[in-house]
Amino acid sequence: MILNGSQIFVEVLAEQGVDTIFGYPGGAVLNLYDELYKNSDRIRHILTAHEQGASHAADGYARATGRTGVVLATSGPGATNLVTGIATAYMDSVPMVAFTGNVATSLLGRDSFQEAYIEGITMPITKHNFTVRKVEDLADTMRAAFRIAQSGRKGPVLVDIPKDVTANSCEFTHKEPELIRTVTRYNEEEVKEAARLINESERPIVYFGGGVRSAAGCQPLRDLLEKTGMPATHTLMAAGVLGYGEPHNLGMLGMHGCYAANKAISEADLVIAVGARFSDRVALNPNKFASKAKIIQIDIDPSELGKNVDVDLALAGDASYILQAILPYVEKTEHKIWMEQIREWQRNDYHPKDSFTELKPHQIINEICEQAGPEAVYVTDVGQHQMWAAQYLHHTKSRGFLTSGGLGTMGFGYGAAIGAQVALGNDHRVIMLTGDGSFHMNLNEGCTAVSYELPIITVIFDNQVLGMVRQWQTSFYGKRYSNTDPQRRTDFVKLAEAFGAKGYRATNIAEFKAAFADAMKQKGPSWIDCRIGKDEKVLPMIPGGGDINDIIME
């Protein structure tokens, strides 16, 4: 059948199973928006306040479901406003397809109104990107974008569509979505060598990252831990893969990880790194990281093998399949002596003190967990509150903790929470944790949450300063607080009400408990302004370039 580019756009989206798209209209995409209007019964469009919010919403949709998030923006500033969201998804290997409009092909390269070379701009932060110059290429290009986003190491793909392509017509043939097969070819001898190293080790530990969540399944990791009795520690991106209280789970590793996990890595004789890239927030000093251990690294991306830390054995492929291959060769054991030593170290972990007169971050988070329960999805912005959330949330679901890890994007949270809530439906509880610094960046998306009656509860850890940077200034810059005390006078309660949301303020745990309970009853969004001390710190902390001997506990 003969269809124009805009009709093809909608047909391929439907063909790929897309039911929701986030975006913001503009001149270069008016044809696409007109067709979306005609097909609103097939594809739901969520209008955000800003294109960056739309990109984070598509990201949150993908993280919460595992499906590909989709975002649409117009040319020029609309397209460039997606860049931070695309980079965020790229750093955390999130499957997303970003569509941008552009000026007509005859105007490309002429500095036309609202023209930007978005393909070139996003080249370093996408798995692949395309500019469609002929309507005949549109359908297959879109199909390729969805395939690339979900195959191998997942990530964002951009498709730029000039306006005349959306208006021109050609023959269109429907195609069934291509089945994406994860092909893992591994060397049997290397698999046996990995098992031999595990069997011979006395102090083994698994260090796993977000690649486990993205893999074909998490169960092989649990099976390995159960069979060998070895402990495991995780990165920020893997929080929730193992349950909070599981005996094998030592908690988070790295700069703000727990003492026992970091100590175990330093004393281990074998580290099995699964779906993790030894980032500088974990391998703070690559030359000293796990210096007593042999290291096995398993990753779907061959370019990550040995990139940041030298490893003794590298296996490329889907973590789930490789662990399944190793399991039959691994002997069943318990590692009692090693685990007893780790339990001793756990007694030295940092334990914050409660207060009934002032709000403490860990008490806020404990109360959230009590009321929201294990089925809630928790979303964070970036900063101190993000680390407190990773340390204290009792999240027990693989996709129950959404945060910007690799890029550390302040302002990520509210858009991502909107995407998660839209994806999961209003019967599912979504909690957004933020700081006053991060929240100021994209709180304009409050109008989006109100417009679509999304019952997101936003908890603001309001210390009136840029807390994480201030903490560094306190510890390493002689308390010279350069531009971290912005002297803002924002009244979040009044602002919430101005948006049409419900606002609360809490200054102690009793007030917070009552506010959160009432927020749980609301049909629309709620904001809770939690006043905490500006000198609250994220502890423990290992400074960059340091190791376990440099850990700060107070």
Side-chain angles (χ1 to χ4, degrees), residues 253-272:
L253 179 69
M255 179 174 285
H256 293 297
C258 60
Y259 173 81
N262 282 294
K263 183 67 173 175
I265 285 285
S266 71
E267 296 298 327
D269 63 3
L270 179 68
V271 172
I272 304 102

Side-chain angles (χ1 to χ4, degrees), residues 489-527:
R489 299 290 182 265
T490 307
D491 187 325
F492 288 113
V493 175
K494 290 181 178 178
L495 187 56
E497 292 169 352
F499 273 116
K502 187 70 182 289
Y504 308 84
R505 184 170 290 111
T507 59
N508 58 51
I509 195 62
E511 291 177 357
F512 178 76
K513 184 175 183 178
F516 196 86
D518 193 64
M520 290 279 286
K521 301 173 185 176
Q522 303 301 315
K523 293 183 178 180
S526 305
W527 301 1

Side-chain angles (χ1 to χ4, degrees), residues 106-241:
S106 61
L107 297 175
L108 290 173
R110 297 174 181 272
D111 294 331
S112 304
F113 176 67
Q114 289 195 332
E115 180 192 1
Y117 180 35
I118 196 64
E119 182 182 356
I121 291 168
T122 59
M123 192 171 292
I125 56 167
T126 52
K127 283 190 71 178
H128 198 80
N129 56 21
F130 304 89
T131 296
V132 182
R133 295 178 181 272
K134 296 189 299 182
V135 68
E136 290 83 1
D137 297 333
L138 179 58
D140 283 343
T141 300
M142 291 177 65
R143 291 165 182 146
F146 281 94
R147 183 183 69 251
I148 293 167
Q150 280 284 358
S151 60
R153 181 177 180 172
K154 298 174 175 62
V157 179
L158 181 130
V159 180
D160 192 39
I161 311 173
K163 189 168 184 178
D164 56 322
V165 173
T166 68
N168 295 338
S169 299
C170 70
E171 182 76 26
F172 173 78
T173 302
H174 172 78
K175 292 183 181 179
E176 289 298 315
E178 185 176 337
L179 181 63
I180 297 172
R181 299 180 185 275
T182 301
V183 178
T184 294
R185 297 184 179 90
Y186 50 81
N187 183 300
E188 191 73 16
E189 293 306 311
E190 290 179 345
V191 165
K192 291 179 179 179
E193 176 64 9
R196 184 188 69 79
L197 291 171
I198 293 170
N199 292 336
E200 293 180 357
S201 65
E202 295 180 357
R203 303 184 308 279
I205 185 169
V206 172
Y207 144 58
F208 66 95
V212 172
R213 177 181 286 130
S214 300
C218 301
Q219 191 58 43
L221 172 65
R222 298 189 182 96
D223 292 342
L224 178 67
L225 298 177
E226 186 66 32
K227 190 172 184 179
T228 61
M230 73 174 84
T233 180
H234 60 79
T235 67
L236 176 69
M237 295 309 301
V241 170

